[in-house]
Amino acid sequence: MVPPLSRRGVLAGAASLAGTGAVLGSAATAASAASAASAATAASAGTAGSGRGADRHRGTTAVFRDVRPYGSEKSVDLTVIDGRISDRPAPRNARIIDGGGRLALPTLVDAHIHPDKTTWGGKWITRKPASGIADYCAQDVEVFRTEPRSVGERAYGLMAHAVTRGTRAMRAHADVAPAYGLKGLEGVAEARERLAHALDVQIVGFPQHGVIRTPGTAKLLEDAARSGLVDMIGGIDPISFDNALDEQLDLVFRLADRYDVGVDIHLHDRDDRGVKVLRGIIERTRALSLHGKVTVSHVFCLTKLSEAGLDTMAADLGALDIALTTVAPNESLVLPIAKLKAHGVRVGLGSDGVRDSWSPFGNADMLHRTHILGWVTDVRLDDELDDCFTVGSHGGADVMHLDRATLKPGAPADFMLLRAECTPQVVVDMPQRDMVVHGGRIVARAGELV
């Protein structure tokens, strides 16, 4: 009898857990040059559904008085004009909001989440033992068929909750498979529309059941790309799960190239199979000139490479502007962020699954995820805690090709106000987000959407 596997066990694979070496450091704070490069490729990076249109926040003017950006000793007034921080005098009709001396921090970006699967806000479900991804997929289908709420309702509940916890944007993976058709994508798109004032969302058509091993999935992915439902086409473990390396990657990259969307592939393998897949992704990105349009999620194989091997791989990823995401599941599976960023690789942080058939855990609170990142990497210095926050804020923005919310003139007015002394304390204590602001508009107060 095969013993039940935890979700973490499935993601980790059969290999023994080994240390990753340095994970964070001063290099985790991305350079301004990387931000500029990110913005330069945004127009062609499959971000059409991000919701950050040029006119979305036109006319939004406000002054947030008595706030302390990043915990500065001296409080200031943040002026917002047309949804962005400004150093110009506020218009006479600007709304005045009292910050009460609260700390002001950028809101966060969830670079990897699965809102279509969630049971958040509903009745408790009892999960069954599972011995692999296929078993989890079967339980996903059962939840889909038995949940009284639609995907759109469930996704909206979770995504709205994320907003109240200070999330400004997310990349949402939604399952595409014959068991669902395009209903998962349509549900997440519905939730995105309802939250367009408060949250920027990119949608990935994710073939959780496999691209090749599940007949009919390839056509559904093309239907999704052709219809404009997705900003990106996904993939999953082309060798170990789909058993079709070239077929899966060729299909995914062909769709991305043909329909001008991005790519975001789940890669859980920690051995040579993962490295082989990553090399295949690099080759196709180069061949099709998809620089800046490809992301690989999890990428556990990087944690097994030698220092020299990691340098070589990171250099290739940086040269092609291939982004990576991590969900910080444990110390040995967290990406070596500092090393990757030294080579110009964009790295974001995400929630992954939240209260679904895979796991009862998760809360879509990205501040909590920065706390987890610090916890599993055993950081203790203020600079290290600052770096954890930066990965959750600017790292995710870079991955999604969004402007960084730096609280400086010209930056999007996406920030949160909290009662705390400094950023490191916020990462550790995770205080209530008293106010969440998106594009200069208050979208949540004291944990409630407004």
Side-chain angles (χ1 to χ4, degrees):
M1 178 178 178
V2 180
L5 291 180
S6 67
R7 182 182 188 282
R8 182 175 298 175
V10 168
L11 295 181
S16 60
L17 299 180
T20 60
V23 174
L24 296 172
S26 58
T29 0
S32 58
S35 181
S38 223
T41 54
S44 61
T47 58
S50 64
R52 180 68 76 179
D55 297 325
R56 176 172 294 279
H57 302 294
R58 190 173 298 281
T60 305
T61 60
V63 178
F64 292 82
R65 287 192 170 156
D66 190 19
V67 301
R68 297 180 299 110
Y70 295 97
S72 60
E73 291 186 9
K74 183 179 179 181
S75 65
V76 301
D77 294 346
L78 286 180
T79 299
V80 177
I81 299 178
D82 290 338
R84 290 183 175 267
I85 305 296
S86 177
D87 54 3
R88 294 183 298 169
R92 290 185 178 180
N93 63 342
R95 183 184 179 190
I96 308 299
I97 297 100
D98 182 15
R102 289 175 176 82
L103 176 75
L105 285 177
T107 39
L108 298 147
V109 177
D110 195 327
H112 186 104
I113 187 172
H114 295 263
D116 65 313
K117 296 175 184 289
T118 192
T119 64
W120 184 269
K123 292 183 177 180
W124 183 261
I125 65 168
T126 299
R127 292 150 188 90
K128 302 173 184 177
S131 59
I133 291 177
D135 286 349
Y136 286 107
C137 289
Q139 293 188 45
D140 284 339
V141 173
E142 185 176 346
V143 168
F144 176 79
R145 290 174 177 167
T146 59
E147 250 284 351
R149 297 171 298 156
S150 68
V151 173
E153 290 174 302
R154 290 184 283 119
Y156 173 80
L158 182 65
M159 292 159 68
H161 171 77
V163 170
T164 69
R165 268 52 184 175
T167 293
R168 63 180 280 231
M170 63 172 54
R171 181 173 289 174
H173 296 254
D175 284 7
V176 174
Y180 317 113
L182 301 182
K183 289 184 174 62
L185 294 175
E186 292 165 349
V188 174
E190 174 191 319
R192 173 172 69 180
E193 183 62 27
R194 292 176 66 184
L195 289 166
H197 67 290
L199 185 69
D200 296 335
V201 181
Q202 293 172 357
I203 300 178
V204 183
F206 176 48
Q208 176 75 82
H209 297 188
V211 178
I212 306 302
R213 67 181 281 159
T214 305
T217 300
K219 181 181 183 303
L220 287 169
L221 287 174
E222 182 154 18
D223 290 345
R226 184 190 297 112
S227 68
L229 262 177
V230 299
D231 304 296
M232 315 193 84
I233 293 292
I236 180 171
D237 298 327
I239 297 177
S240 63
F241 186 61
D242 224 13
N243 195 29
L245 172 63
D246 291 329
E247 287 178 273
Q248 181 185 136
L249 291 185
D250 286 347
L251 173 71
V252 168
F253 277 83
R254 174 178 62 79
L255 293 177
D257 185 47
R258 175 178 295 179
Y259 296 104
D260 193 25
V261 295
V263 171
D264 193 327
I265 295 178
H266 285 56
L267 181 56
H268 304 109
D269 298 316
R270 300 189 65 219
D271 53 17
D272 290 341
R273 292 175 298 180
V275 174
K276 187 175 182 179
V277 171
L278 199 50
R279 279 288 163 209
I281 291 170
I282 289 170
E283 290 167 6
R284 287 164 176 82
T285 302
R286 182 183 293 116
L288 294 172
S289 297
L290 294 178
H291 302 60
K293 297 186 69 172
V294 176
T295 301
V296 191
S297 298
H298 306 305
V299 214
F300 298 149
C301 61
L302 289 181
T303 69
K304 294 289 288 181
L305 294 177
S306 66
E307 186 172 348
L310 178 59
D311 274 329
T312 299
M313 187 70 81
D316 288 343
L317 293 168
L320 293 169
D321 196 16
I322 295 174
L324 308 177
T325 63
T326 182
V327 299
N330 60 50
E331 181 183 5
S332 59
L333 296 181
V334 176
L335 290 176
I337 296 172
K339 175 74 76 173
L340 291 164
K341 296 193 82 64
H343 287 277
V345 181
R346 294 174 288 128
V347 183
L349 183 66
S351 294
D352 208 8
V354 178
R355 190 109 20 123
D356 53 23
S357 66
W358 291 62
S359 171
F361 295 101
N363 56 14
D365 183 338
M366 281 302 297
L367 185 53
H368 184 219
R369 187 61 52 168
T370 67
H371 175 100
I372 291 173
L373 178 61
W375 178 271
V376 301
T377 53
D378 196 26
V379 304
R380 56 183 295 273
L381 304 180
D382 283 3
D383 286 349
E384 295 171 328
L385 290 164
D386 281 337
D387 288 341
C388 290
F389 186 85
T390 298
V391 176
S393 55
H394 300 332
D398 292 346
V399 168
M400 289 183 62
H401 292 293
L402 299 174
D403 290 343
R404 292 181 174 188
T406 59
L407 304 183
K408 295 179 180 178
D414 293 353
F415 57 89
M416 52 187 172
L417 301 182
L418 332 85
R419 294 191 180 278
E421 292 181 44
C422 57
T423 306
Q425 183 199 354
V426 169
V427 172
V428 172
D429 289 347
M430 300 174 288
Q432 174 178 275
R433 273 107 293 176
D434 291 339
M435 190 181 299
V436 179
V437 178
H438 189 74
R441 291 187 172 94
I442 299 171
V443 294
R445 287 182 184 270
E448 298 293 332
L449 204 65
V450 298

